Amino acid sequence: MTASPGSGWGDGTVIAADMVIVGIGILPEVAPLIDAGAAGGNGVAVDGVCRTSVPDVYAIGDCALHANRFAGGAAVRVESVQNANDQAAVVAKDIVGQPAVYDAVPWFWSNQYDLKLQTVGLSIGYDEAVLRGDPAARKFSVVYLRDRRVIALDCVGAVKDYVQGRKLVEAGAVIDRAILADPGVMLKDMVPLDPPTLS
């Protein structure tokens, strides 16, 4: 791989690599809604039931910029199929007059060859990361904490951690780092009986 001009490596540095993965991100195509008067920028701003600032217009999925408690209240776009499904259900209920608020825990997955990659929660703003398991064994998880609370897990070949860790994320559980790091202790056994309120 040779660094190109503008890459930040102006000296033409060459880095040997067997594989290079480039994540370029996406830009939401929201210009028509913004031109119609909807608030937003990096997405269309929506409220708790996915209404835009334009009367009778909703936005869901990758383009919906919403305050998310799993991101510490930050306005984010969640780019996943499940997010779009969950938001669509909220919109349908709102249209027919049934009370609903979008508050689903974000989750993602991908199969990369023989590895299953799974994420629950959002690691935005984490201040600690705890490793569970052995990356060399191709079965491990990284647990992300913010202010000592569990906010997200990235799981590689660790399906049980992914399934059980969801409850810790939903609860904003405060768990001792040494216990979190011990793969011999099941995450389901760490779920607090009286969880704190996640803000």
Side-chain angles (χ1 to χ4, degrees), residues 87-111:
Q87 288 182 329
V90 168
V91 168
K93 288 179 181 177
D94 191 64
I95 289 171
V96 298
Q98 295 179 14
V101 174
Y102 175 72
D103 190 41
V105 61
W107 58 274
F108 315 86
W109 67 272
S110 178
N111 289 327

Side-chain angles (χ1 to χ4, degrees), residues 24 69 85 116 143 165:
I24 60 172
R69 75 177 175 111
N85 289 340
K116 182 175 285 295
V143 183

Side-chain angles (χ1 to χ4, degrees), residues 15 23 30 59 68 78 86 89 100 106 110 117-118 121 123 161 173 176 186:
I15 300 172
V30 296
N68 191 300
V78 178
D86 291 339
S110 178
L117 313 179
Q118 296 170 293
S123 59
D161 276 3
D176 181 86
M186 302 291 280

Side-chain angles (χ1 to χ4, degrees), residues 11 22 27 41 68 70 74 86 133 162 165 169 171 177 187-188 198:
D11 62 359
V22 179
L27 296 175
N68 191 300
F70 296 100
D86 291 339
Y162 167 74
V169 172
R177 286 177 51 92
L187 291 178
K188 67 179 181 180
L198 181 61

Side-chain angles (χ1 to χ4, degrees), residues 159-168 186-188 191:
V159 176
K160 285 184 181 178
D161 276 3
Y162 167 74
V163 171
Q164 296 175 12
R166 180 186 186 106
K167 294 292 186 189
L168 298 179
M186 302 291 280
L187 291 178
K188 67 179 181 180
V191 177

Side-chain angles (χ1 to χ4, degrees), residues 105-142:
V105 61
W107 58 274
F108 315 86
W109 67 272
S110 178
N111 289 327
Q112 299 294 321
Y113 299 98
D114 61 324
L115 289 178
K116 182 175 285 295
L117 313 179
Q118 296 170 293
T119 294
V120 61
L122 298 170
S123 59
I124 296 170
Y126 76 91
D127 51 32
E128 291 184 84
V130 178
L131 176 65
R132 282 175 59 84
D134 181 7
R138 298 166 62 86
K139 183 176 182 179
F140 67 96
S141 298
V142 179

Side-chain angles (χ1 to χ4, degrees), residues 63 128 147 166 189:
C63 73
E128 291 184 84
D147 298 327
R166 180 186 186 106
D189 295 332

Side-chain angles (χ1 to χ4, degrees), residues 26-35 37-46 53 62-66 75 77:
I26 65 169
L27 296 175
E29 183 54 64
V30 296
L33 275 172
I34 301 299
D35 291 346
N42 179 25
V44 177
V46 297
S53 58
D62 294 6
C63 73
L65 182 67
H66 64 282
R77 293 184 299 106

